[in-house]
């Protein structure tokens, strides 16, 4: 898109320069006095450039908003998983989930975000994310204490699995 804009701008300058050189070479003063032709020419390209630039800015803002929604959803699901894991009677499992979520969050903040600014992806973050998923898949609900909790857990774990499959694509 930017290449097209640059090419069209260079073409507009070239045509304007050729028009002026043509008028100077042939000594036709009436075309130089008629500034409306040149003004109209530049107005068209100015309008096209303005529309293209605004379209690019709007697309960037839209993509930013979409990314912010995904990040907010991911953070909310991680918080919810960590919070719901406290209801398990198995403290070892709760600590395991807490450490996996903490490790992933730390990896995203300290490694992933800085590497994204250089167009790199960190494998450490993907490993930490997969570790959370593996822990969630190993959980079994096998007693009366866990049964009422199963519905809330499914409401949290399924969106997390969907988020995982979305990010893997």
């Amino acid at each position: 898109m930017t290449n097209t804009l640059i090419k069209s701008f260079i073409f507009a300058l070239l045509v304007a320069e050729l028009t002026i050189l043509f008028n100077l070479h042939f000594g036709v003063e009436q075309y130089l006095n008629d500034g409306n032709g040149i003004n109209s020419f530049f107005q068209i390209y100015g309008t096209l450039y303005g529309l293209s630039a605004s379209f690019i800015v709007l697309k960037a803002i839209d993509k930013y908003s979409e990314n912010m929604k995904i990040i907010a959803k991911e953070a909310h699901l991680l918080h919810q998983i960590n919070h719901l894991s406290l209801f398990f009677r198995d403290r070892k499992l709760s600590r395991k989930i807490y450490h996996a979520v903490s490790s992933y969050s730390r990896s995203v903040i300290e490694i992933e975000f800085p590497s994204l600014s250089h167009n790199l992806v960190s494998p450490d973050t993907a490993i930490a994310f997969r570790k959370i998923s593996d822990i969630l898949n190993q959980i079994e609900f096998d007693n009366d204490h866990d049964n009422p909790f199963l519905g809330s857990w499914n409401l949290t774990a399924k969106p997390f699995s969907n988020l995982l499959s979305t990010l893997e694509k």
Side-chain angles (χ1 to χ4, degrees):
M1 183 79 164
T2 53
N3 284 340
T4 305
L5 291 175
I6 291 170
K7 288 177 185 177
S8 65
F9 185 70
I10 290 172
F11 178 74
L13 290 177
L14 180 67
V15 168
E17 185 177 333
L18 287 175
T19 304
I20 292 171
L21 288 175
F22 179 78
N23 288 330
L24 289 176
H25 180 67
F26 289 106
V28 183
E29 295 296 326
Q30 68 182 2
Y31 293 116
L32 287 178
N33 290 334
D34 183 22
N36 290 337
I38 293 175
N39 287 341
S40 316
F41 180 75
F42 282 118
Q43 285 175 353
I44 291 170
Y45 277 100
T47 303
L48 289 175
Y49 177 77
L51 289 173
S52 300
S54 63
F55 177 72
I56 291 169
V57 168
L58 286 176
K59 277 302 210 181
I61 290 172
D62 186 44
K63 193 66 172 170
Y64 175 77
S65 298
E66 184 180 319
N67 289 341
M68 289 305 295
K69 286 179 186 176
I70 291 173
I71 290 171
K73 184 177 181 179
E74 181 182 6
H76 176 73
L77 288 173
L78 288 171
H79 172 72
Q80 209 171 5
I81 287 170
N82 189 37
H83 181 68
L84 289 175
S85 72
L86 298 175
F87 290 103
F88 288 121
R89 287 185 177 165
D90 187 359
R91 293 290 168 218
K92 218 186 242 187
L93 178 63
S94 295
R95 270 191 245 110
K96 198 174 179 181
I97 291 173
Y98 171 78
H99 289 303
V101 169
S102 297
S103 171
Y104 174 71
S105 300
R106 217 174 304 108
S107 176
V108 166
I109 293 168
E110 295 173 0
I111 299 171
E112 188 74 20
F113 285 157
S115 65
L116 283 176
S117 66
H118 301 294
N119 290 332
L120 302 172
V121 178
S122 170
D124 298 337
T125 306
I127 291 169
F129 195 79
R130 179 59 68 189
K131 185 177 179 184
I132 295 171
S133 179
D134 291 343
I135 292 170
L136 294 180
N137 289 334
Q138 293 172 0
I139 295 174
E140 293 181 13
F141 296 92
D142 55 356
N143 60 30
D144 292 335
H145 178 267
D146 295 342
N147 284 336
F149 178 59
L150 179 60
S152 297
W153 187 258
N154 283 338
L155 288 174
T156 303
K158 283 183 183 176
F160 187 80
S161 299
N162 292 342
L163 183 65
L164 178 65
S165 63
T166 302
L167 294 175
E168 286 179 342
K169 289 180 183 177

